[in-house]
């Protein structure tokens, strides 16, 4: 039902209509009437009308709308009898019953009368609570039914449930008054970079405790600036040898995010803006009629680049893009150098934007991720193939440098490193050193960029003892501290979540004070959500504050009434909340909905463009092994290149990840088979993500068959659920490290045995799960 297409109705009378009132969605009484013919209205003169007129008015006012009423069976019966009595055909009204809705949304109540529900939900009309002395007046009951309906609709979802931002491309309510000054300061750094004649990149550190809203602040930046600036989000790296490639892979994934209000990605908008600036500044391009025609068609709408150059496969399309690519590479060669990977990367970016065919676009995306293609695939997209000896770290830094140099023609890049708390673990010292070195390289070689680190204050102090002083100096020029917001700002945030329902209707003064007294924004939202679940869904509070004297008296009276109630006829009754206010949710009760939510989020993003990196998977896997205290070691084969693997001595098992393509897949698989033969005492399991196709050719099939036929070897596809189980567990560990999940690792490990579905990973990490 459209939220505006309804009227709240209340009718009074027995055999037929005596009184009726209608309230609109805004709460205004739009119609009241008393039937002149009804005996109980003999002395009523205001709003008295003939029954037939009332029924015709009702039919006109309710046309195309639903009628909301409490205990609709009564109103439906009275209205139908009234139409028959007046000799009119009964309309087929659509009724919505708040009595039925209340039974669904509040299943623990003993009584669903309008009076009891209004008292239980603390509803008010004109700032006054429900008074039974005024009940059974159509106007009075309709106004309270309207309040009840609004509240029941709100109970469909907990408005305070969403308390964390996982990445800045999400959409969450944003209270602009919170951190308004800090946000303006952070945003003000971008014009300084753009106006700098050397376009030197700058660093900034955003400091705040867990739950203070660091990622939320970046989401605000994305919501406002994504139409002009490219925002690139990088989570914690997990392998010391591939920090730059990990960063570049996450940048490619961020570039694949759609720009709001357009069907195009960040990368497509970025290239369109840069291309038009380059072509517009090229006298040689403008000297040709075709060049002038192309530029004229794009002058006021850069994104029309993707429609106005002809249909893919036509001569016009090929010629136009050939001209653009030629002038772009000429421009690059004149301004920078033509050596190295840069010119090839530039061509790859143009090809990605040029192709509309999904197969060619996906091949180009994989090529941009430095993945080796089949020879005919590389030839089909017109790009040189990468080889086994390609340094992915060098390639990644060069590619990020290309992005930075192109952004000089557009707007500064915003590179955000988030969820970095795991780098502070003692065993991650080599990774932290590599991360510091990578940040230094980016600040030096990637121009026109704002590099932001989101950190806990104590973690930044630790990083400064490890980072090169030149990196620390550049980052610490701009340090933004997120202080705890004022209570009034927190109230505004809560009210924004609650919508039209005043906070005072949802929470008592003591409850609201307890909510606002929490130590972080996330804690405030979590506490509000917990009270909401407790009051309206009867889920225990984690910690129940001592009730006020008034509340203690109310609870005592309610308990006495429950004891006396069997002696009287059915009356309004309140549920026993004291019985539900137990010790609060257990780690398992926290983890179960978390894991379900995280699984759903990852499932929704599973088919999005993803750069699958074996060293990344190995880093995630070893993080899990360290967390679950499972010893592991490495198993080399001289200097021969192998898939990324780890040995589990206690299990006598080797787990390997191999998602490379082309000739490097076959070469490493051959070496892996040699390793399998050399260590018959170990079981070898080689995983390949199902989204990565196998290289063609008989040699690939032969080597996979050889691994399958080995007594101690197995090749296995990492199917969707295998991948999700892997990513969900890794997310849980990093969220605990980042204090985004309020359970300890010890409690999580114990609870996982009860809440995890069987998978290859649960069988390894929690053997008692029986996977």
């Amino acid at each position: 039902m459209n939220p505006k297409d309804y009227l709240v109705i209340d009718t009074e009378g027995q055999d037929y209509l005596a009184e009726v009132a209608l309230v609109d969605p805004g709460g205004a009484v739009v119609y009241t009437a008393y039937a002149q013919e009804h005996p109980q209205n003999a002395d009523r003169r205001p709003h008295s009308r003939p029954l037939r007129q009332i029924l015709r008015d009702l039919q006109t006012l309710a046309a195309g709308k639903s009628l909301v009423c409490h205990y609709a069976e009564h109103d439906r019966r009275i209205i139908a009898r009234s139409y028959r009595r007046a000799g009119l055909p009964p309309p087929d009204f659509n009724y919505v019953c708040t009595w039925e809705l209340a039974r669904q949304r509040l299943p623990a109540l003993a009584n669903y009368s309008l009076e009891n529900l209004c008292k239980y939900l603390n509803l008010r009309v004109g700032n006054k609570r429900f008074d039974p002395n005024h009940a059974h007046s159509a106007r009075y009951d309709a106004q309270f039914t309207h309040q009840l309906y609004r509240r029941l609709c709100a109970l469909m979802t907990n408005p305070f449930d969403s308390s964390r931002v996982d990445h800045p491309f999400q959409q969450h309510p944003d209270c602009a008054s919170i951190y308004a000054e800090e946000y303006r300061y952070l945003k003000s750094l971008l014009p300084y970079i753009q106006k700098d004649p050397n376009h030197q990149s700058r660093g900034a550190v955003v400091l705040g405790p867990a739950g203070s809203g660091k990622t939320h602040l970046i989401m605000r930046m994305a919501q406002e600036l994504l139409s002009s600036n490219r925002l690139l989000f990088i989570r914690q790296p997990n392998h010391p040898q591939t920090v730059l490639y990990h960063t570049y892979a996450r940048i490619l994934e961020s570039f694949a995010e759609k720009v709001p209000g357009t069907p195009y990605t960040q990368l497509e908008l970025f290239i369109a803006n840069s291309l038009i600036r380059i072509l517009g500044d090229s006298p040689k391009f403008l000297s040709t009629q075709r060049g002038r025609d192309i530029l004229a068609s794009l002058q006021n709408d850069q994104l029309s680049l993707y429609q106005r150059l002809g249909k893919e496969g036509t001569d016009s399309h090929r010629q136009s893009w050939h001209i653009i690519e030629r002038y772009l590479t000429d421009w690059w060669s004149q301004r920078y150098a033509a050596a190295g990977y840069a010119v090839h990367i530039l061509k790859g970016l143009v090809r990605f934007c040029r192709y509309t065919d999904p197969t060619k676009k996906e091949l180009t995306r994989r090529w941009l991720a430095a993945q080796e293609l089949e020879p005919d695939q590389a030839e089909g997209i017109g790009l040189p193939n990468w080889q086994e000896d390609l340094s992915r770290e060098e390639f990644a830094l060069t590619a990020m440098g290309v992005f930075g140099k192109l952004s000089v023609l557009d707007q500064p890049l915003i590179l955000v490193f988030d969820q970095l708390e795991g780098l502070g673990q003692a065993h991650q010292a080599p990774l932290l050193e590599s991360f510091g070195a990578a940040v230094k390289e980016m600040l030096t070689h990637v121009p026109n960029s704002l590099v932001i680190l989101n950190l806990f204050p104590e973690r930044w102090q630790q990083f400064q003892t490890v980072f090169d002083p030149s990196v620390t100096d550049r980052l610490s020029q701009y340090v933004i501290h997120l202080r705890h917001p004022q209570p009034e700002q927190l109230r505004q945030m809560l009210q924004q979540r609650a919508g039209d329902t005043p906070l005072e209707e949802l929470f008592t003064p003591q409850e609201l004070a307890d909510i606002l007294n929490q130590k972080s924004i996330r804690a405030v939202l979590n506490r509000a959500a917990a009270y909401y679940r407790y009051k309206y869904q009867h889920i225990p509070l984690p910690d129940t504050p001592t009730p006020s004297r008034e509340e203690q008296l109310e609870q005592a009276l309610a308990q006495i009434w429950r004891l006396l109630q069997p002696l009287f006829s059915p009356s309004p009754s309140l549920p026993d909340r004291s019985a539900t206010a137990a010790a609060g949710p257990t780690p398992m009760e926290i983890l179960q909905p978390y894991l379900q939510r995280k699984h759903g989020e990852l499932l929704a993003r599973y088919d999005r463009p993803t750069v699958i990196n074996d060293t990344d998977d190995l880093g995630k896997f070893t993080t899990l092994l360290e967390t679950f205290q499972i010893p592991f070691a490495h198993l080399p084969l001289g200097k021969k290149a192998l898939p990324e693997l780890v040995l589990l001595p206690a299990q006598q098992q080797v787990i390997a990840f191999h998602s490379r393509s082309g000739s490097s897949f076959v070469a490493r698989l051959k070496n892996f088979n040699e390793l399998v033969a050399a260590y018959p005492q170990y079981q070898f399991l080689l995983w390949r993500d199902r989204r990565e196709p196998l290289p063609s050719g008989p040699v690939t099939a032969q080597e996979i068959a050889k691994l399958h036929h080995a007594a101690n070897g197995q090749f296995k596809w990492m199917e969707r659920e295998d991948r999700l189980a892997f990513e969900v567990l890794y997310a849980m560990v990093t969220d605990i490290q980042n204090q985004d999940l309020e359970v300890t690792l010890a409690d999580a490990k114990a609870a996982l045995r009860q809440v995890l579905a069987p998978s290859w990973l649960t069988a390894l990490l929690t053997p008692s799960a029986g996977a």
Side-chain angles (χ1 to χ4, degrees):
M1 182 175 69
N2 187 306
K4 303 272 184 204
D5 289 345
Y6 73 88
L7 289 171
V8 177
I9 187 171
D10 186 80
T11 61
E12 299 297 332
Q14 292 299 323
D15 293 333
Y16 64 97
L17 192 69
E19 179 187 356
V20 65
L22 295 173
V23 175
D24 70 11
V29 179
V30 294
Y31 187 82
T32 58
Y34 299 92
Q36 291 176 348
E37 297 89 333
H38 202 283
Q40 73 183 46
N41 296 332
D43 298 330
R44 292 184 186 268
R45 292 184 180 179
H47 306 296
S48 293
R49 295 181 178 88
L51 180 61
R52 286 175 67 90
Q53 181 184 339
I54 294 173
L55 297 176
R56 284 175 176 151
D57 291 344
L58 175 60
Q59 192 164 353
T60 301
L61 291 167
K65 301 180 185 294
S66 295
L67 293 179
V68 176
C69 40
H70 193 72
Y71 200 70
E73 184 58 35
H74 165 80
D75 297 276
R76 181 187 289 111
R77 184 176 63 251
I78 291 295
I79 289 172
R81 286 178 178 175
S82 298
Y83 272 95
R84 285 194 294 269
R85 183 182 182 89
L88 297 173
D92 187 18
F93 289 129
N94 177 46
Y95 291 91
V96 176
C97 181
T98 53
W99 185 82
E100 290 288 353
L101 286 176
R103 287 170 58 86
Q104 297 168 17
R105 309 274 160 80
L106 301 167
L109 294 183
N111 187 298
Y112 292 93
S113 70
L114 182 61
E115 177 186 350
N116 189 57
L117 288 167
C118 290
K119 287 183 175 179
Y120 177 71
L121 295 171
N122 194 28
L123 301 181
R124 290 177 170 87
V125 171
N127 206 30
K128 293 182 179 179
R129 297 187 181 187
F130 191 93
D131 184 347
N133 294 320
H134 298 305
H136 304 300
S137 156
R139 181 190 184 101
Y140 191 82
D141 287 1
Q143 288 177 300
F144 271 98
T145 300
H146 170 256
Q147 295 296 322
L148 174 61
Y149 180 62
R150 287 175 61 244
R151 180 64 56 79
L152 292 173
C153 288
L155 287 177
M156 292 177 66
T157 57
N158 188 328
F160 310 104
D161 251 345
S162 176
S163 64
R164 55 166 292 176
V165 179
D166 293 303
H167 58 81
F169 307 110
Q170 291 177 324
Q171 297 288 324
H172 291 271
D174 181 30
C175 185
S177 66
I178 294 179
Y179 304 141
E181 289 300 320
E182 293 84 350
Y183 175 67
R184 276 195 290 270
Y185 179 68
L186 186 61
K187 194 172 63 168
S188 72
L189 302 179
L190 294 169
Y192 285 114
I193 297 171
Q194 191 171 20
K195 293 174 183 177
D196 178 357
N198 297 312
H199 296 285
Q200 282 192 319
S201 292
R202 302 190 182 203
V205 181
V206 179
L207 299 179
S212 59
K214 298 184 292 294
T215 311
H216 191 109
L217 197 68
I218 304 303
M219 183 201 75
R220 182 183 299 175
M221 185 173 274
Q223 290 179 351
E224 180 183 345
L225 300 180
L226 217 56
S227 60
S228 57
N229 294 77
R230 309 284 63 82
L231 192 145
L232 310 167
F233 186 70
I234 304 108
R235 292 186 177 88
Q236 173 185 312
N238 49 53
H239 198 292
Q241 296 176 11
T242 58
V243 174
L244 285 170
Y245 184 75
H246 168 90
T247 301
Y248 173 63
R250 303 293 81 77
I251 285 174
L252 283 183
E253 291 172 358
S254 292
F255 264 132
E257 294 287 341
K258 291 285 179 65
V259 176
T262 79
Y264 296 104
T265 64
Q266 288 205 83
L267 181 58
E268 288 165 328
L269 181 56
F270 176 62
I271 296 300
N273 290 345
S274 302
L275 275 176
I276 290 166
R277 286 287 305 275
I278 292 170
L279 298 177
D281 292 341
S282 171
K284 192 174 180 182
F285 182 77
L286 292 174
S287 67
T288 67
Q289 185 61 47
R290 187 167 187 82
R292 290 193 295 272
D293 291 343
I294 290 174
L295 199 61
S297 68
L298 306 174
Q299 207 64 39
N300 298 319
D301 182 8
Q302 293 93 328
L303 287 173
S304 64
L305 172 75
Y306 301 112
Q307 295 98 29
R308 296 190 178 181
L309 298 183
K311 187 177 180 181
E312 185 171 347
T314 64
D315 289 339
S316 174
H317 185 269
R318 278 192 296 269
Q319 290 172 10
S320 296
W321 278 102
H322 178 72
I323 291 170
I324 288 173
E325 186 177 307
R326 189 180 76 229
Y327 278 100
L328 181 59
T329 52
D330 287 347
W331 171 86
W332 183 273
S333 300
Q334 292 167 12
R335 179 166 293 197
Y336 304 105
Y341 304 125
V343 172
H344 296 306
I345 292 168
L346 201 61
K347 288 183 178 179
L349 293 171
V350 175
R351 298 292 170 95
F352 179 83
C353 294
R354 165 183 171 176
Y355 294 130
T356 57
D357 176 74
T359 301
K360 286 187 175 182
K361 211 166 185 69
E362 172 60 18
L363 287 173
T364 310
R365 186 192 66 79
R366 292 179 59 211
W367 183 92
L368 285 169
Q371 296 177 356
E372 186 182 355
L373 305 179
E374 296 290 301
D376 60 325
Q377 292 175 335
E379 184 179 349
I381 59 175
L383 293 168
N385 212 351
W386 305 121
Q387 302 302 318
E388 166 72 13
D389 59 355
L390 172 73
S391 168
R392 286 189 169 185
E393 290 293 274
E394 181 184 346
F395 174 90
L397 186 59
T398 302
M400 288 187 285
V402 170
F403 293 145
K405 290 166 184 172
L406 286 176
S407 74
V408 171
L409 303 168
D410 186 30
Q411 296 285 335
L413 302 176
I414 305 170
L415 276 68
V416 183
F417 289 89
D418 201 356
Q419 301 172 354
L420 300 173
E421 306 310 322
L423 295 180
Q425 307 293 317
H427 63 272
Q428 295 286 24
L431 179 56
L432 180 55
E433 292 176 8
S434 295
F435 177 69
V439 172
K440 179 180 180 180
E441 293 286 343
M442 284 183 279
L443 287 170
T444 304
H445 297 288
V446 184
N448 205 49
S449 301
L450 175 60
V451 179
I452 301 172
L453 271 61
N454 279 352
L455 291 167
F456 294 168
E458 62 273 17
R459 192 66 70 232
W460 173 233
Q461 293 176 2
Q462 178 190 2
F463 282 17
Q464 291 180 87
T465 65
V466 176
F467 284 2
D468 186 290
S470 63
V471 176
T472 302
D473 290 344
R474 292 185 71 173
L475 289 173
S476 58
Q477 282 182 301
Y478 309 103
V479 178
I480 298 171
H481 294 269
L482 300 185
R483 312 293 184 188
H484 190 60
Q486 296 298 314
E488 185 53 38
Q489 293 176 314
L490 295 171
R491 283 183 66 96
Q492 291 175 13
M493 176 190 71
L494 293 172
Q495 187 60 69
Q496 183 185 42
R497 300 276 183 132
D500 295 334
T501 306
L503 292 177
E504 291 74 15
E505 290 187 15
L506 294 177
F507 308 113
T508 67
Q510 188 201 24
E511 290 165 347
L512 196 53
D514 179 46
I515 291 166
L516 295 174
N517 197 40
Q518 300 301 307
K519 63 182 180 179
S520 71
I521 293 175
R522 182 185 299 138
V524 167
L525 286 170
N526 287 344
R527 191 64 174 168
Y531 270 115
Y532 196 88
R533 286 190 292 267
Y534 166 55
K535 293 170 68 106
Y536 305 118
Q537 298 166 354
H538 305 288
I539 297 173
L541 278 170
D543 299 294
T544 305
T546 304
S548 65
R549 300 180 74 176
E550 292 79 5
E551 288 176 318
Q552 290 176 0
L553 178 60
E554 182 182 344
Q555 290 174 4
L557 290 173
Q559 182 65 27
I560 292 170
W561 179 251
R562 276 188 288 273
L563 294 172
L564 296 176
Q565 189 178 353
L567 304 176
F568 301 93
S569 57
S571 310
S573 61
L574 295 173
D576 184 2
R577 292 185 187 172
S578 60
T580 66
T586 64
M588 186 177 73
E589 291 169 335
I590 295 173
L591 274 176
Q592 197 155 30
Y594 165 83
L595 294 171
Q596 290 171 348
R597 178 178 64 82
K598 185 60 67 175
H599 181 279
E601 291 170 358
L602 292 168
L603 177 61
R605 297 180 67 84
Y606 179 80
D607 292 319
R608 296 177 66 83
T610 304
V611 179
I612 297 166
N613 178 14
D614 294 333
T615 53
D616 214 36
D617 281 344
L618 181 66
K620 292 174 182 177
F621 188 56
T622 53
T623 297
L624 292 174
L625 294 175
E626 288 163 345
T627 301
F628 285 82
Q629 300 178 327
I630 297 176
F632 63 90
H634 299 287
L635 190 65
L637 186 65
K639 294 184 178 181
K640 293 185 177 181
L642 289 164
E644 299 293 344
L645 58 83
V646 65
L647 167 66
L648 309 178
Q651 290 79 8
Q652 293 191 308
Q653 191 175 18
V654 174
I655 303 292
F657 303 93
H658 194 19
S659 293
R660 285 182 173 256
S661 302
S663 59
S664 62
F665 172 82
V666 175
R668 294 185 181 218
L669 182 56
K670 284 182 177 180
N671 295 338
F672 187 75
N673 279 331
E674 192 175 329
L675 193 70
V676 171
Y679 292 92
Q681 69 271 33
Y682 298 136
Q683 290 294 317
F684 288 77
L685 177 58
L686 183 69
W687 286 101
R688 183 176 180 84
D689 194 285
R690 174 60 83 175
R691 292 168 291 183
E692 288 294 318
L694 278 174
S696 60
V699 180
T700 298
Q702 289 169 11
E703 291 300 322
I704 290 176
K706 186 185 295 184
L707 178 58
H708 268 308
H709 292 147
N712 61 329
Q714 185 181 9
F715 173 89
K716 193 167 183 182
W717 286 107
M718 185 178 282
E719 303 289 355
R720 184 179 68 181
E721 285 306 316
D722 297 317
R723 169 60 70 177
L724 293 178
F726 186 24
E727 298 294 344
V728 163
L729 274 176
Y730 178 71
M732 181 202 73
V733 169
T734 55
D735 281 349
I736 291 174
Q737 290 173 345
N738 285 283
Q739 299 180 33
D740 288 335
L741 181 59
E742 295 175 347
V743 296
T744 65
L745 281 171
D747 285 341
K749 286 187 282 188
L752 283 176
R753 297 186 178 95
Q754 304 175 60
V755 299
L756 280 180
S759 72
W760 69 280
L761 202 50
T762 56
L764 174 66
L765 301 178
T766 58
S768 63

